[in-house]
Amino acid sequence: MATVDPGLVAPAVPPVRTSQEPARRRAPGARSRVGRAVVWVCLLLITALFLYPLVWLVTASLKTRGQVFDNSLLPSPVMWENWLTVWEELPLLNWLWTSFAIAVLASVAVAVSSSVVAFGFAYFRFPGRGALFGLVLATMMLPGAVTMIPVYLIWKELGFLGTWVPLWGANLFGSAFYIFLQRQFFLGLPRELFEAARIDGAGYVSLFTRIAMPLAIPSFVIVLLFEFQASWNNLQGSLIYLNAGSVESFNAPLGIAYAMTKYSPTAGGHGDYQYVMAASLIVTLPMLILFAFGQRYFIEGIATTGRKG
């Protein structure tokens, strides 16, 4: 067999790198940095847009009467005494406590009841389950104005007008939206966990309390946050069921409406709206604090809910 002299084989020539090749390699990195910079600028602009109403509220609460609506973000002089005046003239502490108590009762009631119903729709297999679940979802199509008068008459016959019960009692029967939200999360849990627990002798209550709920904490917190915020801002229900009581028995939304009337413009005057802004800021702070502590569960629940349908 003929052999080839190694000396006759041409050695491998390394590729020649031109001066343009490093520039081409650096170009994608430069473009990515420019892209990230553009994204950051857009995010900062959107953040500033959403923060502007809150910043305006803070500055307006620190202005004098004639400067409230001048759209300046730098009050001069800074009227720190506006907050103290509002705290002394309005029963803000009573309003905050009433709103907090009602919001806690409403959020816990709807979160627990909706989770129980959602677990039933997610775990059990029975004829007509889809149709029944569709009927539950169909209740979301009913506007609140349709059920307002019948619900009012029910609470009137039960003798609960002027109390807290109408503002949270209906939540004991669950909410269609929260049932849907929790059901989607339960459907994403491995069914093998429940089957293994059933083999070990666990009952349905144990399946719900010891397996389903511990794994559904993110979505449960989402329901709590949503309902707490909705109850805290429920001015319509407060006007219907709490308006007949004393000013001290008002909750935060109804109290702010009362402050709007109390500090409304007099004949030829401008109105002391700086006090209204100060009171609005005080009743807004609890929701900001609540979201700051619950944002981790909020983001996790939004990211993991609805993985399976």
Side-chain angles (χ1 to χ4, degrees):
M1 179 180 296
T3 59
V4 180
D5 187 358
L8 299 178
V9 178
V13 179
V16 179
R17 298 182 178 180
T18 63
S19 59
Q20 297 180 353
E21 187 170 351
R24 289 197 298 269
R25 291 181 179 178
R26 289 194 299 266
R31 286 196 297 268
S32 64
R33 286 193 295 269
V34 173
R36 285 196 298 268
V38 172
V39 171
W40 275 105
V41 170
C42 293
L43 290 177
L44 289 175
L45 291 176
I46 295 174
T47 302
L49 182 64
F50 277 91
L51 285 179
Y52 178 78
L54 179 61
V55 174
W56 186 93
L57 178 64
V58 174
T59 57
S61 67
L62 298 173
K63 294 179 180 179
T64 60
R65 174 189 295 181
Q67 298 175 343
V68 176
F69 298 108
D70 61 2
N71 289 325
S72 174
L73 298 182
L74 296 175
S76 179
V78 179
M79 304 293 292
W80 297 104
E81 56 269 24
N82 289 347
W83 296 355
L84 181 60
T85 301
V86 167
W87 192 264
E88 292 176 348
E89 294 185 357
L90 298 176
L92 286 173
L93 191 60
N94 291 347
W95 296 350
L96 292 174
W97 163 248
T98 301
S99 288
F100 179 79
I102 294 174
V104 168
L105 292 172
S107 57
V108 172
V110 78
V112 174
S113 58
S114 298
S115 298
V116 172
V117 178
F119 178 73
F121 278 118
Y123 178 77
F124 296 104
R125 304 287 192 266
F126 55 89
R129 184 185 66 160
L132 185 59
F133 182 67
L135 183 62
V136 172
L137 295 183
T139 59
M140 291 193 298
M141 306 300 175
L142 293 175
V146 174
T147 59
M148 184 185 303
I149 295 178
V151 170
Y152 175 83
L153 295 177
I154 291 174
W155 291 121
K156 180 181 179 181
E157 291 298 323
L158 294 175
F160 288 122
L161 294 183
T163 67
W164 296 357
V165 177
L167 298 178
W168 68 270
N171 289 356
L172 293 172
F173 302 95
S175 169
F177 173 72
Y178 298 141
I179 291 172
F180 168 77
L181 189 71
Q182 287 286 76
R183 174 184 175 271
Q184 295 303 109
F185 195 95
F186 288 142
L187 286 175
L189 300 178
R191 193 171 181 84
E192 290 78 8
L193 294 176
F194 302 102
E195 294 176 353
R198 289 290 293 167
I199 294 175
D200 292 338
Y204 295 127
V205 176
S206 297
L207 294 180
F208 176 73
T209 58
R210 301 179 63 180
I211 298 179
M213 284 308 301
L215 295 176
I217 289 297
S219 63
F220 190 81
V221 174
I222 287 294
V223 175
L224 288 176
L225 290 176
F226 279 0
E227 186 59 28
F228 193 97
Q229 185 266 343
S231 178
W232 189 272
N233 297 329
N234 186 12
L235 175 60
Q236 185 181 63
S238 304
L239 286 171
I240 295 175
Y241 299 108
L242 294 181
N243 198 23
S246 62
V247 176
E248 287 74 15
S249 65
F250 290 173
N251 61 355
L254 194 58
I256 296 300
Y258 168 79
M260 288 285 293
T261 303
K262 178 180 176 64
Y263 298 113
S264 61
T266 57
H270 297 285
D272 293 317
Y273 284 111
Q274 71 275 13
Y275 298 142
V276 178
M277 302 305 170
S280 301
L281 178 62
I282 292 174
V283 301
T284 302
L285 289 178
M287 292 306 305
L288 298 177
I289 297 173
L290 178 67
F291 181 79
F293 281 100
Q295 63 176 336
R296 180 172 67 89
Y297 294 101
F298 181 84
I299 296 173
E300 184 179 354
I302 291 296
T304 56
T305 300
R307 296 172 299 178
K308 182 179 179 181

